[in-house]
Amino acid sequence: MSSNNEQLDKITNQEYKYGFESQVESDTIPPGLDENVIKEISRRKGEPEFMLKWRLNAYSKWLTMEQPSWAHLNLQPIDFQAISYFSSPKSAKEKPKNLDEVDPEILDTYKKLGIPLKEQERLQGIVAVDAVFDSVSVATTYKDKLAEVGVIFCSISEAMREYPELVEKYLGSVVPPTDNFFASMNSAVFTDGSFVYVPPGVRCPMELSTYFRINATNTGQFERTLIIADEGSYVSYLEGCTAPQRDENQLHAAVVEIIAHKDAQVKYATVQNWYPGDENGVGGIYNFVTKRGLCKGENSKISWTQVETGSAITWKYPSVILKGDNSVGTFHSVAMTNNLQQADTGTKMIHLGKNTQSTIISKGISAGKSSNAYRGLVRVAKGATNARNYSQCDSLLIGDKCGAHTFPYIDVQNTTSQVEHEATTSKIGEDQIFYCMQRGLSEEDAVSMIVNGYCKEVLQNLPMEFAVEAQNLLTLSLEGTVG
Amino acid sequence: MAIQSKFDYKTHYNTVFQRFIKENHCPLLDFRKRAFEHFEQHGFPNKRVEDWRFTSCYEIAEKPFLCPKDSTTLTKKEIEPFLFENIDTIQLVLINGHYRPELSTQIDEQNISISSISKLCEAHDTRLEKIGTLVSAEENVFAALNASFFRDGFFIEVKQNAKIDKPIHIINIDADKDENSHNAVRHFISVAKNAELKIVESYHSHNSAPDALINVACELEVADGANVEYISIQQADETHHCFTNINANVAENGQLITNLLDFGSKLVRHTQNIVLDGANAHAKSCGTYIGHQRRQIDHYLYMDHAVGECSSEQLFRGVLTDKAKAVFRGRVVVRPDSQNTDASQSSKALLLSDDAQSHNLPQLEIYADDVRCSHGATVGELDKSSLFYLQSRGISEERAKQILTVAFAEEVVDHITIEPVRQKVYALIDQNLSKDLS
């Protein structure tokens, strides 16, 4: 089937369209990691004393840890001393007071990425954006409007200065500094990220969003996001990421913590499109992320939705700890890998409270020579009576050189719970394509339609603006991959 | 990643090993030495090793296990309860890991050759080279210990096109009155082209001292078009530990059914590695277990689709009560270019008590695109609508629960093709469940 091979070639030759590099003068700490670097980061950010202590404590713990090797990944050793742990655009030294003062080059970068920071743009009134450029947050839109209802949405550095009591109370309460190798490292060196606090009973009037961009060379991005939804509140949050095209691997080790109090609901969506490396697997981002939500109060609800198309290596498991009775956790994921990309992703649902429920829908699509693994844990503790879990993970293989793996862990410790796991692996059926073509669709459109249908369950959980982007991303990555 | 115990087990096993090889000169010496080296290097794994996260070897590492003496024997009458009724089998009896010809069936057939491995050793038989080709000593710590210390077992060969009507019944009896008995046996079963063989291996205890370690390695070679059924029924004493490594290689058009049934021992761990090595090979791996008290039953299965056009099934059912615990890790690997693979996996555990635990890890590792793989795992209580259905027809709740639990446990047993063996297993299930359901 030579036409298929041609089409496969076409996709491998496809360029990463966010691979440009912006000419922004940046202020970067020289590579290397020791206590002084951490003190310097803390000093530059003007952090309160407790933060420095917290960071140093995490650093000393990190020194005793070893990089884990259990993931189904082929990973080159990382030289942690060759990474620069802080980089900020020079112009951001004096924090701009409003958008007009932001470096036009940076605004331009975001414009190229399709993320309008100017408030009057087409997403007016719908989405508030926090833009993180390398290590610092450069702009947060719609702050005033959010403040009217009491929602705090700002960079985490700002939160540490303005609301230290909230940060001290919640930071590290879901992902402790000793949690794992990369979380520990993040705790020591994290530079910025977003902070959200929604007061009791408030329904956040707009979608909140962060856009992460790695620009400088040899830097790692270590951001930390903290979302707190107080009693009876609601917030929907989305996150997007891109990086320029480079030959060396860059490290991105982030931590996201979510706390949902009684009756609160948090929706967290990610469209991850870091630079995946070229067709020979050169370059790309190492995306090692710890994301965890805590359903602290009764009837709370946390949902993760992710569309993972970028990064050379993705290693992340957005999890939910269902501590409150009747709490609900959901995880919807589409992970698409191509060329030599590797993904080991999934979720953890830890049922502690009574009548807790969780749903896991994971859709993996592998093409080229990529490898895509689902790894998930469903744990039902002894006291979690009447817990209910449903997991479904499907893999779709496009081409015969790729791999799809499923590693579910199901630990059940009581009798009244019901845990179900189902998984299938398949390719797009020739009969399905034939059926579509018979009705006048081209082969490519047929594949695109089938794949989008395959992912529909997940995509429909994304906020509307992202759903369109995600669909386009998938269609783009899938062009010509008729198998 | 090895256990550091108060008891210096490495020195202990070294002394035992040196004595053992002095007493047992045989062509397998190099093989044993390599295996023991592996054990000395790695020791007993601790819980930080991913494969041993749920299985603790601490208790075993703390005990000075020794090879059992070979003087023990039993009378024909004493072994009678271990035999199947209403069926004529080729009986092969091992007591404390030693072959007992006087209790076994002596056959004189052209189609099949059965020899005890200790005999082959005495004769320096060249066939011994095959030992270790399918269960390598490096596979895990118990495979290494088995290779170092096994005394006997059977080398069974079925000739081309032979259909062996009588099933072989290997009866392992552990009757060691001394404590810390390490009962290691090993078989190599080779079934040639288009031949057929049914084999049942059962484990029993007879007035043995508690806490014995039963360690079995079984290598199954299924040639082109051959058809093999292997059933293991484990009823050892409630205080024993039982570890098995059952590996198989299935060639083109070959068929293998394995069935692991566990009703005894406090810690059972089966490791099974089946390689489908030729087109149209088929393997079915089944198992049923019932756990009481603090019993733990682990299955670590590996179904390797090395070539395309093969099919495999894994079917496991378990009932757990009290503080019993079960681990099921079934991995299906589909190698690159193994197209047209059809693999399915189903593991279900029924928990009858709030202290029972089940860990289910149904894993798929797939490197080819034209495959059909599915796995399903459920853990939980009895289906409420089925209970309601039975109750609505006038059956008491208790009775309905009994019916459904027994039906659940027996689902996989139906795959046993030898009728009298199946009946025996049904009886064992009833007997084991009756304590919990009455």
Side-chain angles (χ1 to χ4, degrees):
Chain A
M1 301 227 325
S2 66
S3 70
N4 279 352
N5 287 340
E6 271 168 37
Q7 283 168 337
L8 273 173
D9 283 347
K10 211 163 99 188
I11 174 167
T12 38
N13 292 333
Q14 218 168 70
E15 302 246 334
Y16 178 69
K17 71 172 190 183
Y18 306 109
F20 61 88
E21 185 178 349
S22 309
Q23 293 306 319
V24 179
E25 260 192 284
S26 64
D27 184 10
T28 308
I29 295 184
L33 180 59
D34 56 28
E35 282 196 8
N36 292 331
V37 170
I38 293 167
K39 282 180 188 155
E40 178 64 20
I41 293 173
S42 191
R43 190 188 62 76
R44 285 204 191 189
K45 304 190 74 63
E47 287 174 358
E49 185 60 28
F50 77 89
M51 270 316 300
L52 178 62
K53 244 193 216 156
W54 198 78
R55 283 174 186 277
L56 290 174
N57 176 35
Y59 177 69
S60 66
K61 291 276 159 45
W62 179 71
L63 287 177
T64 64
M65 291 171 145
E66 265 176 54
Q67 190 179 331
S69 59
W70 44 261
H72 197 271
L73 301 171
N74 177 12
L75 174 63
Q76 299 299 317
I78 301 168
D79 182 358
F80 293 99
Q81 296 303 336
I83 300 170
S84 169
Y85 288 83
F86 186 86
S87 171
S88 92
K90 256 199 180 130
S91 51
K93 228 174 182 179
E94 301 283 317
K95 179 102 181 151
K97 300 208 172 42
N98 58 45
L99 277 168
D100 299 333
E101 288 179 26
V102 172
D103 190 334
E105 187 69 34
I106 294 176
L107 286 182
D108 203 39
T109 305
Y110 281 94
K111 210 167 154 192
K112 272 197 229 168
L113 296 169
I115 310 295
L117 290 180
K118 295 261 182 193
E119 297 190 1
Q120 64 271 29
E121 294 271 348
R122 87 189 144 95
L123 297 174
Q124 188 174 24
I126 308 170
V127 184
V129 181
D130 182 22
V132 177
F133 197 84
D134 286 336
S135 301
V136 295
S137 163
V138 288
T140 310
T141 58
Y142 288 112
K143 270 165 86 169
D144 303 340
K145 207 169 163 198
L146 288 168
E148 275 171 30
V149 288
V151 175
I152 303 170
F153 180 44
C154 62
S155 74
I156 201 152
S157 327
E158 198 178 329
M160 277 188 275
R161 292 188 298 266
E162 307 284 324
Y163 316 99
E165 65 295 336
L166 280 175
V167 174
E168 194 170 7
K169 185 172 170 195
Y170 289 108
L171 190 71
S173 66
V174 186
V175 181
T178 49
D179 192 79
N180 67 64
F181 185 80
F182 293 106
S184 197
M185 173 168 174
N186 173 289
S187 303
V189 300
F190 76 91
T191 43
D192 219 333
S194 306
F195 176 84
V196 179
Y197 174 79
V198 190
V202 171
R203 194 182 161 88
C204 188
M206 59 180 83
E207 303 276 350
L208 303 184
S209 162
T210 305
Y211 206 91
F212 296 106
R213 170 83 180 164
I214 298 179
N215 194 55
T217 336
N218 288 328
T219 54
Q221 191 171 46
F222 307 95
E223 85 270 357
R224 195 153 183 128
T225 301
L226 181 58
I227 299 173
I228 303 143
D230 221 323
E231 270 188 47
S233 63
Y234 166 88
V235 62
S236 167
Y237 183 91
L238 23 121
E239 175 196 274
C241 351
T242 52
Q245 197 163 341
R246 270 189 237 292
D247 281 350
E248 61 274 358
N249 297 109
Q250 275 179 291
L251 181 63
H252 171 252
V255 173
V256 176
E257 293 176 282
I258 299 176
I259 295 119
H261 286 279
K262 198 179 162 204
D263 301 320
Q265 188 184 354
V266 180
K267 280 186 177 179
Y268 194 105
T270 310
V271 173
Q272 185 264 103
N273 189 22
W274 295 115
Y275 175 55
D278 66 7
E279 68 269 31
N280 300 316
V282 176
I285 302 286
Y286 286 167
N287 188 30
F288 302 153
V289 181
T290 309
K291 293 185 169 181
R292 197 173 301 154
L294 173 65
C295 283
K296 204 169 179 185
E298 286 163 36
N299 310 320
S300 52
K301 207 172 159 185
I302 292 178
S303 71
W304 296 102
T305 306
Q306 61 172 21
V307 175
E308 301 279 321
T309 56
S311 295
I313 299 178
T314 300
W315 185 347
K316 75 174 202 188
Y317 314 95
S319 314
V320 184
I321 300 170
L322 299 152
K323 193 175 166 198
D325 293 349
N326 311 322
S327 55
V328 179
T330 56
F331 173 78
H332 290 88
S333 163
V334 170
M336 157 106 205
T337 53
N338 198 353
N339 297 328
L340 285 161
Q341 271 178 282
Q342 301 176 68
D344 193 308
T345 178
T347 182
K348 285 193 214 171
M349 292 289 173
I350 318 256
H351 293 257
L352 302 176
K354 296 186 181 69
N355 308 321
T356 46
Q357 284 179 38
S358 63
T359 309
I360 299 170
I361 310 281
S362 164
K363 307 272 181 183
I365 306 163
S366 351
K369 292 177 191 157
S370 66
S371 156
N372 197 332
Y374 165 83
R375 185 186 302 275
L377 167 73
V378 177
R379 177 183 294 151
V380 180
K382 218 173 131 185
T385 45
N386 293 318
R388 184 84 178 82
N389 160 268
Y390 176 73
S391 312
Q392 186 191 335
C393 44
D394 298 333
S395 310
L396 192 67
L397 293 149
I398 300 173
D400 56 1
K401 298 275 186 293
C402 49
H405 321 299
T406 328
F407 305 107
Y409 289 67
I410 303 163
D411 297 352
V412 179
Q413 296 186 9
N414 77 48
T415 57
T416 51
S417 55
Q418 273 233 11
V419 177
E420 282 174 74
H421 176 93
E422 273 173 38
T424 59
T425 301
S426 56
K427 66 172 195 171
I428 298 174
E430 274 168 40
D431 47 344
Q432 286 171 313
I433 294 178
F434 180 73
Y435 181 88
C436 294
M437 287 172 73
Q438 208 188 20
R439 270 144 189 81
L441 288 172
S442 74
E443 201 174 3
E444 273 184 19
D445 286 348
V447 171
S448 167
M449 193 166 92
I450 293 164
V451 170
N452 267 309
Y454 169 81
C455 303
K456 197 176 161 196
E457 263 175 288
V458 175
L459 297 182
Q460 70 193 13
N461 281 288
L462 285 171
M464 202 262 290
E465 306 75 37
F466 261 29
V468 175
E469 189 188 336
Q471 239 168 46
N472 288 342
L473 254 174
L474 280 174
T475 312
L476 190 80
S477 314
L478 277 164
E479 251 169 30
T481 48
V482 181
Chain B
M1 298 290 217
I3 287 180
Q4 308 291 328
S5 69
K6 268 180 260 157
F7 172 64
D8 182 5
Y9 61 83
K10 281 190 184 170
T11 315
H12 163 74
Y13 282 106
N14 194 308
T15 326
V16 179
F17 186 68
Q18 296 311 331
R19 197 164 58 218
F20 180 83
I21 52 174
K22 221 179 260 171
E23 288 165 11
N24 294 274
H25 288 293
C26 81
L28 288 169
L29 189 65
D30 279 345
F31 171 66
R32 290 188 193 278
K33 278 188 173 162
R34 272 200 314 269
F36 194 71
E37 252 169 50
H38 181 83
F39 170 73
E40 284 201 309
Q41 252 175 38
H42 294 86
F44 287 107
N46 64 21
K47 288 200 159 188
R48 302 193 63 178
V49 179
E50 180 69 19
D51 266 1
W52 295 86
R53 254 181 58 187
F54 303 108
T55 318
S56 166
C57 295
Y58 282 88
E59 208 185 319
I60 292 163
E62 292 285 347
K63 287 210 168 81
F65 283 107
L66 297 164
C67 305
K69 288 192 284 295
D70 52 3
S71 55
T72 326
T73 187
L74 300 174
T75 61
K76 279 207 166 150
K77 207 165 171 58
E78 280 171 315
I79 66 158
E80 230 163 62
F82 308 143
L83 308 178
F84 295 111
E85 283 162 20
N86 309 325
I87 187 167
D88 197 9
T89 60
I90 302 172
Q91 253 175 58
L92 302 170
V93 179
L94 290 160
I95 297 177
N96 295 344
H98 293 277
Y99 175 47
R100 290 289 161 203
E102 71 278 11
L103 297 171
S104 307
T105 317
Q106 300 305 321
I107 51 150
D108 182 26
E109 257 198 78
Q110 299 224 309
N111 285 332
I112 182 167
S113 99
I114 301 173
S115 1
S116 93
I117 289 184
S118 58
K119 275 266 159 54
L120 294 183
C121 283
E122 278 168 32
H124 281 78
D125 197 294
T126 48
R127 284 177 293 178
L128 287 173
E129 281 171 13
K130 282 199 158 181
I131 302 243
T133 49
L134 294 177
V135 177
S136 105
E138 284 82 35
E139 209 142 292
N140 56 52
V141 58
F142 291 97
L145 281 178
N146 178 291
S148 312
F149 293 110
F150 80 93
R151 292 282 276 277
D152 220 336
F154 298 103
F155 199 103
I156 300 171
E157 281 173 299
V158 182
K159 305 268 149 60
Q160 206 167 323
N161 300 324
K163 307 256 182 291
I164 309 300
D165 303 325
K166 277 197 229 171
I168 291 179
H169 183 193
I170 302 177
I171 306 161
N172 286 291
I173 305 165
D174 131 70
D176 197 5
K177 294 198 174 51
D178 295 330
E179 278 188 15
N180 304 321
S181 171
H182 176 199
N183 186 350
V185 296
R186 194 173 184 108
H187 311 300
F188 194 99
I189 296 157
S190 165
V191 181
K193 205 170 166 183
N194 298 330
E196 252 175 53
L197 179 72
K198 291 186 168 124
I199 189 158
V200 186
E201 190 163 14
S202 62
Y203 306 90
H204 314 269
S205 299
H206 182 89
N207 298 333
S208 61
D211 291 333
L213 170 63
I214 301 168
N215 188 347
V216 185
C218 184
E219 303 175 84
L220 293 159
E221 200 180 58
V222 183
D224 293 6
N227 197 329
V228 177
E229 181 171 357
Y230 173 88
I231 300 160
S232 143
I233 305 172
Q234 190 267 115
Q235 293 173 260
D237 189 88
E238 291 277 340
T239 62
H240 291 1
H241 312 265
C242 178
F243 289 82
T244 74
N245 280 281
I246 301 161
N247 291 2
N249 195 310
V250 187
E252 208 175 314
N253 296 317
Q255 249 201 63
L256 172 72
I257 304 176
T258 64
N259 218 316
L260 308 172
L261 304 140
D262 284 286
F263 305 105
S265 292
K266 86 173 144 195
L267 173 60
V268 187
R269 182 171 163 126
H270 295 292
T271 311
Q272 193 185 55
N273 186 348
I274 298 177
V275 183
L276 296 167
D277 212 8
N280 290 320
H282 174 76
K284 185 153 47 175
S285 168
C286 309
T288 304
Y289 50 90
I290 292 169
H292 299 285
Q293 288 151 13
R294 290 182 168 275
R295 185 184 292 168
Q296 178 172 353
I297 305 107
D298 298 355
H299 290 93
Y300 283 75
L301 315 169
Y302 204 81
M303 188 67 81
D304 188 347
H305 285 260
V307 299
E309 319 282 338
C310 293
S311 57
S312 70
E313 277 173 84
Q314 291 176 342
L315 285 168
F316 284 80
R317 297 287 179 273
V319 181
L320 301 170
T321 65
D322 305 328
K323 294 190 170 166
K325 182 174 160 184
V327 182
F328 172 84
R329 198 215 65 183
R331 181 177 289 197
V332 175
V333 183
V334 180
R335 302 271 169 205
D337 298 325
S338 294
Q339 304 298 2
N340 288 326
T341 290
D342 193 342
S344 71
Q345 222 179 17
S346 153
S347 158
K348 291 185 184 170
L350 184 62
L351 305 185
L352 296 178
S353 115
D354 267 344
D355 293 312
Q357 278 183 44
S358 161
H359 304 271
N360 244 310
L361 297 75
Q363 309 179 332
L364 299 174
E365 203 179 321
I366 296 164
Y367 298 94
D369 68 334
D370 199 359
V371 298
R372 264 225 319 272
C373 291
S374 62
H375 64 184
T378 55
V379 179
E381 52 183 352
L382 290 169
D383 180 29
K384 291 222 168 68
S385 54
S386 308
L387 262 179
F388 179 76
Y389 179 88
L390 288 178
Q391 280 176 279
S392 71
R393 266 140 191 84
I395 296 167
S396 72
E397 189 184 347
E398 208 171 279
R399 181 73 194 122
K401 274 188 181 163
Q402 269 178 22
I403 294 172
L404 289 174
T405 308
V406 171
F408 174 87
E410 290 182 352
E411 199 183 330
V412 174
V413 178
D414 293 343
H415 292 266
I416 297 176
T417 61
I418 314 167
E419 175 71 22
V421 175
R422 196 164 65 223
Q423 292 307 331
K424 169 88 181 175
V425 175
Y426 286 146
L428 281 170
I429 289 178
D430 280 346
Q431 188 190 324
N432 271 277
L433 285 176
S434 64
K435 293 175 223 163
D436 310 302
L437 296 173
S438 57

